[in-house]
Amino acid sequence: MAAQRRACGPPAEEMLRECARDVVAVAEGIREVSARTSSVLFAPALTGSARRRPRTGLAARWALLRTLTNRQGLGGAAIVAPDGVGHLLGAAGEVLGRESLAALVAVTALRLRIAAVLLDHPEFGRDPGMRRLTDAVTADHDPEAAVRALRSLLKDPGAQRSLAALAPVLAELLTVRGLLDEDPLSDETAWALAVGRELTAGPVSGLAAARLPATGGEGAAQAVELSAQEARSLVTEGSFLGFLRNIDALAGDARVLVQEVRGPDGVLRYVVQAPGTAPGRPRDDSPQDFAGAWRNLFLTDSPYARSILLAIRDHGIPRGSDLALVGHGEGGIALLNLAQDDEFCRAYRVTHVVAVGAQTDDRRPADPRTWVAGITNRYDIVPVPDGPGAPHPNRYRVDYTGPTREFPRCHLLGVYIDDLETVVPQARADVDRALAPYRGPVERARAYRLRDRGRPPEGYPFLAVPTTSLATSAGPVDVPVRYYDSSAAHLCFPVDADVARSLLPDVAWLVPTRLGRRALAVLSLYEHRCTTIGPYTELGLSVLVDDLWRPHAYDLAADLLRRADLRRTGRYVVALAVGTQEARAVAEELWAQPAVRGAADVELQGRELRVHAPELGVSVEGRPGPGARCPEADWVFYGRRGESTVRTLVRAHGRPRVHARPRLRLRLDGAHGPLARHLQILELDAVRPGFVLTSPRFVARRSAGAVLPR
């Protein structure tokens, strides 16, 4: 099979990436031509010539201007002039709907890169960020409309948040952003940082901030004690896989490890071990996040690199000592950034840098003697492979095809460790051979927690609350679960009270709340773009229920005036479908909600709402119609576990609206699961909702479920 693939040529996705690189180079060349042409247009010599010889001088300037702004020429927008006239002309071209030729070509490159990613990883087609990006670059199948849609998308802070995780197209996004910029002198890197919410009050050169006292600047490191179990899990003998296992053991809490190893020659050497991006975690006060990944990728100056440098200084490593740097993902990039710093390499002799699941080809250490190794799974999109690097005697690279194709699983360090033992053992042996001076007993180990002092925690102050870690079948989860960027629509249907009662557990005291002679069923549609359990979609059906102990006729009306934590009524969750296994485990094990896993394509931020879930047999389309502001949509959810009821409190903060005359239609394409079957029982596909609550963008926190003896 492999021989057949070689005979047929390179894979389609590799050919698409190669084409994308060529097209980007063409776009950058066009931009350079535009810049040179505009510089000639405003050159003092030509300006003077136009004054002295208007007939020929003005004609020459007019020809250059037409070349720059005409639709059949360079298209405008890429005009450089010291007096700002060029910026004005470029903006005028944009108003007239003329997009620069460079921008049109760059968007073509982005389309090619997206096609390559979706060939390799079709599951990315359901990612909210990738979906919005794909919609933008294919707007109306019109190149100029696509450029305008993409420019709007890149200016939208909410879209930037969901795009921040799209490592496969970072290079094209950065190039396209520069080519779409109305001001060609603007700093493209500043945009890359803005996407990651990493803009600082002022620029910092090199690693200067890391050389400030630990109490100031961006980035901080604090020595922390390991638990007894963690200390026992650390290896006591230096080895490549041993260092990777150390990283895997400490990866979940933004900690790096510094170990002192006595080599075979008796010399004491030091190994710094850094983890990658914390999976499923949002941006907070730690540099171990997607924001840090953006900054690491484009700048050697990053909070992560500076925090590691502060940890090295705190550890007291003597100047001139031998140092090996081992990292995974974002941690590998941060260590490579350190190795590129001249002053750092003058202070320490960086002998080895080993990066697993990280891009290494375009990184050149300041010390040419430094041996650099990069190991990547070709299905792992985080390293953003961009073709083979230039040959180098101190460069070692392995790009292998692992058995795990699904992302993000193929990026996990545990998967890389398994592959190094079974799939590419030769790579493990080669790196171990190179790290021979570090193969000895570990005499001392110290962990450091990294902090980013550049901004308050994400979601501050609403989401700055105490948390507790609880165990689930999908791993430990911090509660309350925090939602940093979500959208929701709640479709509220008056339904027959007896039919609604038939969907509830068979206990006498759990009864639907009556609104006149009807009960109220709520179909909730969520798109969670950034949460502490990762991005996912959520479709849930619930029924409003009375107070579990002392129901009264007007409890619902009274509850609207109470704080959410004092409410007696709530919504019993009848059926729930979520997009990830982790979300399903949390819903079932912490909130006692009957959840199934099902993918859904959810768009809730425009004037039209659209939900398409073929696996679940559910779709919703239409307009919510005119709406009015309403109080925050805090909720109490009920679930059932054994003989007890579980009560979960949800606090939300956003700008909810109520729509009294919605034009939304629910469609059921066969009962593929419990959610569709319950919707059929209530016959909700035959009627329109009575009213709809929408929250285009909100933050929220869901507590752990409280078990009630009822």
Side-chain angles (χ1 to χ4, degrees), residues 652-682:
H653 177 63
R655 299 175 64 88
R657 300 179 70 85
V658 59
H659 306 263
R661 301 180 64 185
R663 294 181 174 274
L664 291 166
R665 178 68 70 181
L666 167 68
R667 291 183 173 83
L668 301 176
D669 184 18
H672 296 324
L675 176 63
R677 286 198 300 271
H678 286 90
L679 292 171
Q680 278 186 331
I681 292 171
L682 293 171

Side-chain angles (χ1 to χ4, degrees), residues 118-452:
L118 294 180
L119 268 180
D120 238 350
H121 291 277
E123 71 274 11
F124 258 82
R126 298 189 296 270
D127 180 86
M130 182 67 83
R131 191 185 64 239
R132 296 190 68 183
L133 183 62
T134 304
D135 290 346
V137 300
T138 57
D140 301 325
H141 303 285
D142 175 7
E144 294 195 355
V147 173
R148 290 191 288 273
L150 182 58
R151 181 183 283 114
S152 300
L153 181 67
L154 296 175
K155 289 179 178 178
D156 178 3
Q160 290 174 0
R161 182 193 299 272
S162 61
L163 292 176
L166 298 183
V169 292
L170 290 188
E172 273 74 15
L173 273 176
L174 186 64
T175 300
V176 170
R177 175 60 181 89
L179 293 167
L180 293 180
D181 201 339
E182 295 87 349
D183 180 4
L185 296 178
S186 67
D187 184 4
E188 295 170 15
T189 303
W191 174 81
L193 307 186
V195 175
R197 294 294 181 105
E198 281 292 338
L199 281 174
T200 58
V204 182
S205 175
L207 292 171
R211 299 179 191 112
L212 297 174
T215 55
E218 222 182 332
Q222 178 185 8
V224 292
E225 295 297 327
L226 298 174
S227 67
Q229 181 178 356
E230 288 174 333
R232 286 194 298 270
S233 69
L234 299 182
V235 297
T236 57
E237 189 82 12
S239 70
F240 177 39
L241 284 190
F243 299 141
L244 294 183
R245 290 192 178 100
N246 289 344
I247 295 171
D248 201 30
L250 304 181
D253 197 21
R255 289 176 293 177
V256 300
L257 185 70
V258 181
Q259 286 187 313
E260 301 176 9
V261 180
R262 184 72 63 180
D265 55 0
V267 176
L268 191 64
R269 296 180 175 88
Y270 301 83
V271 186
V272 179
Q273 299 148 58
T277 303
R281 289 175 178 258
R283 306 172 185 88
D284 54 14
D285 62 345
S286 162
Q288 188 197 6
D289 53 18
F290 280 123
W294 273 88
R295 188 153 192 166
N296 270 327
L297 189 60
F298 298 114
L299 287 179
T300 56
D301 166 35
S302 69
Y304 201 164
R306 283 182 278 177
S307 298
I308 294 174
L309 180 57
L310 290 171
I312 291 172
R313 288 180 55 189
D314 185 81
H315 195 82
I317 299 177
R319 291 181 67 87
S321 298
D322 287 358
L323 202 61
L325 310 176
V326 182
H328 168 241
E330 181 192 354
I333 296 173
L335 293 174
L336 282 161
N337 288 341
L338 271 180
Q340 289 180 271
D341 185 74
D342 289 328
E343 186 169 333
F344 180 76
C345 290
R346 283 195 297 269
Y348 309 102
R349 182 172 178 264
V350 182
T351 60
H352 301 76
V353 181
V354 183
V356 174
Q359 183 179 3
T360 62
D361 292 335
D362 59 347
R363 313 281 167 154
R364 293 292 178 266
D367 186 344
R369 299 171 297 175
T370 302
W371 188 82
V372 178
I375 298 174
T376 56
N377 179 349
R378 69 174 300 269
Y379 294 127
D380 182 0
I381 52 89
V382 170
V384 198
D386 206 27
H392 193 281
N394 286 338
R395 181 79 50 169
Y396 179 83
R397 177 179 174 180
V398 174
D399 186 22
Y400 69 96
T401 302
T404 304
R405 183 189 185 104
E406 183 181 356
F407 184 84
R409 178 168 171 74
C410 61
H411 179 64
L412 297 179
L413 183 54
V415 173
Y416 270 107
I417 292 173
D418 292 341
D419 290 349
L420 284 166
E421 289 184 314
T422 58
V423 181
V424 282
Q426 186 58 47
R428 180 202 66 209
D430 291 343
V431 176
D432 260 332
R433 192 178 305 110
L435 290 174
Y438 296 86
R439 292 184 63 82
V442 176
E443 296 194 355
R444 181 182 175 224
R446 193 92 187 258
Y448 296 85
R449 179 169 287 114
L450 307 184
R451 292 293 181 216
D452 179 3

Side-chain angles (χ1 to χ4, degrees), residues 18 101 276 341 400 447 635 687 690:
E18 186 65 34
L101 179 60
D341 185 74
Y400 69 96
W635 304 99
V687 296

Side-chain angles (χ1 to χ4, degrees), residues 161 458-459 462-463 482-487 530 632 634 650-655 695 697-701:
R161 182 193 299 272
E458 184 76 8
F462 183 78
L463 297 179
R482 283 145 289 152
Y483 296 81
Y484 290 80
D485 184 20
S486 296
S487 300
C530 185
E632 298 291 350
D634 295 335
V650 180
R651 301 295 303 270
H653 177 63
R655 299 175 64 88
S695 294
R697 187 168 296 147
F698 69 95
V699 295
R701 56 180 189 259

Side-chain angles (χ1 to χ4, degrees), residues 37-168:
T37 306
S38 62
S39 65
V40 172
L41 174 63
F42 295 101
L46 187 57
T47 303
S49 173
R51 291 196 190 102
R52 291 190 302 272
R53 301 179 180 84
R55 186 174 178 181
T56 56
L58 287 177
R61 296 194 79 184
W62 178 247
L64 288 172
L65 184 60
R66 283 179 57 82
T67 300
L68 281 167
T69 59
N70 195 281
R71 191 184 298 274
Q72 281 74 40
L74 296 172
I79 304 176
V80 180
D83 58 0
V85 176
H87 177 79
L88 181 62
L89 291 173
E94 184 188 347
V95 170
L96 294 173
R98 295 180 181 176
E99 298 297 347
S100 74
L101 179 60
L104 297 176
V105 174
V107 169
T108 301
L110 187 56
R111 287 174 171 173
L112 289 168
R113 175 71 83 163
I114 291 174
V117 171
L118 294 180
L119 268 180
D120 238 350
H121 291 277
E123 71 274 11
F124 258 82
R126 298 189 296 270
D127 180 86
M130 182 67 83
R131 191 185 64 239
R132 296 190 68 183
L133 183 62
T134 304
D135 290 346
V137 300
T138 57
D140 301 325
H141 303 285
D142 175 7
E144 294 195 355
V147 173
R148 290 191 288 273
L150 182 58
R151 181 183 283 114
S152 300
L153 181 67
L154 296 175
K155 289 179 178 178
D156 178 3
Q160 290 174 0
R161 182 193 299 272
S162 61
L163 292 176
L166 298 183

